[in-house]
Amino acid sequence: MKGFRGALGVGIFAVSLFLPAVSATAANAVDSLRQFIASTRGAEGEFRQTVSGREGQPAQQASGKFSFARPGKFRWEYDFPYPQLLVADGKQLWSWDRDLRQVTVRPIGNALGSTPAGILFGQGELERDFILENATPEEMVGSEKLAWVEARPRQTANNEGGSSGFQFFRFGFDGKRLQRLTLLDNFGQTTVIEFTRLRLNPTFSSNHFHFEPPAGVDILGDPSPPQ
């Protein structure tokens, strides 16, 4: 379970691209992703996450809900298998583990740039950070064929001096909505996210992306926002 906790903590950057998009086909899925980025300022919904290792280890399941507002704000909340909340307020990323009564905080800086979260939550500079192309073969969700866009991070370093940590991400469109996100990281681990109950461009309260650490918890990192 400790290993899964670590995977979930990192997972917000790996699983943050989950939103509906405009009509997509195998021929224009890249254009649909571009149009989605240009037209969507925020969204909310639910997700199911499966993480599989390359050695055939048992798959790890998780589920919860999410919301985001561009640029740089999001909430990613796990309900199963245990509660965990990640909140980005545009400057800092907060991770709240209720079981451990521990909060971790760190500046976001440029860390979103070459991650899946950079496409959804960032400034929308796709061509700078990613190589985009239509992916084959098509995959199936139920009886529907999906048109896939593959995004490969360019060799740009993040603010901690590392690479994005992923080999590629694939976004699966059912024609009008992004139904699935598949990610392969540099350790051979595959993450699959399925998205449901999606709502585009909702209105959020002024404190929706604000996190206040509960009294008496351990705080790792500097809670002072960067200037």
Side-chain angles (χ1 to χ4, degrees), residues 28-41:
N28 69 5
V30 170
D31 288 340
S32 294
L33 178 60
R34 291 188 181 117
Q35 188 172 350
F36 160 69
I37 295 300
S39 63
T40 304
R41 67 179 184 273

Side-chain angles (χ1 to χ4, degrees), residues 70-160:
R70 298 178 56 208
K73 297 180 180 181
F74 59 84
R75 294 176 66 92
W76 190 267
E77 186 168 2
Y78 290 95
D79 300 321
F80 173 84
Y82 61 87
Q84 184 179 20
L85 174 66
L86 299 102
V87 179
D89 59 14
K91 294 183 177 180
Q92 295 173 293
L93 174 65
W94 300 82
S95 176
W96 165 223
D97 191 313
R98 292 176 176 84
D99 290 346
L100 297 180
R101 293 194 58 76
Q102 179 177 288
V103 172
T104 302
V105 56
R106 66 185 181 94
I108 293 179
N110 297 321
L112 297 184
S114 293
T115 69
I119 296 178
L120 186 62
F121 308 139
Q123 300 290 342
E125 297 175 334
L126 294 176
E127 317 304 325
R128 183 195 68 181
D129 295 319
F130 302 93
I131 299 171
L132 303 175
E133 58 185 21
N134 293 302
T136 55
E138 293 179 341
E139 295 188 20
M140 303 288 288
V141 172
S143 61
E144 297 174 315
K145 289 184 178 180
L146 297 185
W148 290 88
V149 181
E150 182 170 292
R152 290 185 176 271
R154 297 185 186 275
Q155 297 302 311
T156 53
N158 63 25
N159 65 330
E160 296 178 348

